[in-house]
Amino acid sequence: MNRKILIISVIILVGALSSSILLLCSIHQNKLELLLYDEFTSESAVWYWRHDGTGRHSLNNSIAEFWITNQSTNTTYSNSEIYNNNELPYYHVRLIMRIRSSNLTKGSRGWGLWNRQMSATQSELIWFMYMEGNATYPYNGFYAFIQLAGGAFSAVQLLGIDLLQWHIYQIDWNSLGIFFYVDNNLVSFNSTLIPTATMAFHFWVDNAVYDYGTVFTHIYQNIDLSLIHISE
């Protein structure tokens, strides 16, 4: 069985980085305040745990696992994801994640912030996102992706990053712009496309590619999320 694993550790800066943490924080008067801490010892009601098609999740040994079982068909959407339950609590935040994938297959997987609106006239998002479609799909690869309500977007391809290795991914969203970092190196900056909507944390894996509505057969894969620490 060709098994894909995407392991996510989130680190949120409260003075120092910790391993195996997802961190989301906003800076207020140069101080960070803790909003949420979750080690996934149980299924917190803070999160909405969504599945479509063959998507599933489980909690084991303080790790939340998200996966698509066996092969999804090319006519049915399959998805496993987590996001804030019934709220969009974040504005001008810092989000830090430690992530690794075991292999990459057709579809998309990503991590970042989203206002959970599907319509291009309303959707705003800030994501790291990997997509793989057919040979003619224009966004195959790994991107720093921003979209504003109305459809304006930026997709900066990030080259030379081995997604099969552990990396620290960071998004800083503030009045100056959107900063994307990988292993503390600035890989993309945009000062003109700055979302104004409040957003939720969003992490997913599915068998479709963004915006084109194409659904692909998807080999079994797994995503692990070990800890979330959110600060403001």
Side-chain angles (χ1 to χ4, degrees):
M1 177 182 293
N2 186 2
R3 188 178 185 206
K4 176 188 171 200
I5 301 176
L6 180 61
I7 301 175
I8 296 190
S9 308
V10 182
I11 303 172
I12 299 220
L13 268 174
V14 214
L17 291 179
S18 303
S19 62
S20 300
I21 303 175
L22 177 149
L23 195 80
L24 179 57
C25 56
S26 69
I27 300 174
H28 178 66
Q29 296 180 344
N30 296 319
K31 295 181 180 179
L32 301 177
E33 297 179 20
L34 180 64
L35 293 178
L36 183 143
Y37 186 89
D38 192 347
E39 291 184 319
F40 294 102
T41 55
S42 62
E43 198 166 299
S44 172
V46 168
W47 307 114
Y48 184 74
W49 309 74
R50 175 174 172 173
H51 312 129
D52 296 286
T54 64
R56 300 291 185 271
H57 82 272
S58 67
L59 269 67
N60 296 288
N61 300 317
S62 294
I63 293 177
E65 299 178 309
F66 303 82
W67 71 89
I68 297 174
T69 61
N70 299 321
Q71 289 195 337
S72 309
T73 69
N74 59 4
T75 58
T76 302
Y77 179 65
S78 289
N79 170 65
S80 184
E81 65 182 321
I82 185 175
Y83 50 80
N84 294 90
N85 192 12
N86 297 323
E87 59 180 3
L88 302 171
Y90 309 126
Y91 182 76
H92 284 190
V93 297
R94 172 172 292 172
L95 169 62
I96 304 173
M97 301 154 286
R98 184 171 181 256
I99 298 173
R100 178 178 71 177
S101 178
S102 69
N103 66 68
L104 302 169
T105 58
K106 284 187 175 181
S108 70
R109 66 282 304 147
W111 40 92
L113 300 161
W114 180 36
N115 70 344
R116 303 206 329 247
Q117 296 293 323
M118 295 299 294
S119 168
T121 61
Q122 297 178 314
S123 181
E124 298 208 327
L125 57 87
I126 308 167
W127 284 336
F128 284 101
M129 179 163 56
Y130 176 86
M131 294 177 286
E132 184 178 337
N134 56 34
T136 61
Y137 181 66
Y139 297 112
N140 285 325
F142 187 50
Y143 287 85
F145 207 98
I146 303 169
Q147 180 172 308
L148 302 185
F153 73 93
S154 169
V156 176
Q157 189 166 19
L158 305 178
L159 302 174
I161 300 171
D162 184 357
L163 299 181
L164 304 184
Q165 303 300 318
W166 284 106
H167 297 289
I168 301 294
Y169 298 93
Q170 177 176 325
I171 294 170
D172 282 2
W173 167 29
N174 55 48
S175 60
L176 298 177
I178 309 299
F179 302 76
F180 292 87
Y181 296 87
V182 178
D183 297 330
N184 296 318
N185 296 309
L186 182 66
V187 294
S188 181
F189 169 68
N190 194 307
S191 62
T192 58
L193 297 182
I194 306 175
T196 59
T198 57
M199 299 196 195
F201 170 71
H202 186 222
F203 168 63
W204 83 95
V205 58
D206 66 15
N207 66 334
V209 289
Y210 182 76
D211 202 33
Y212 278 70
T214 305
V215 179
F216 298 96
T217 299
H218 213 73
I219 296 173
Y220 178 88
Q221 57 186 306
N222 191 67
I223 298 175
D224 294 341
L225 175 59
S226 64
L227 186 136
I228 293 179
H229 180 173
I230 299 177
S231 300
E232 182 176 62

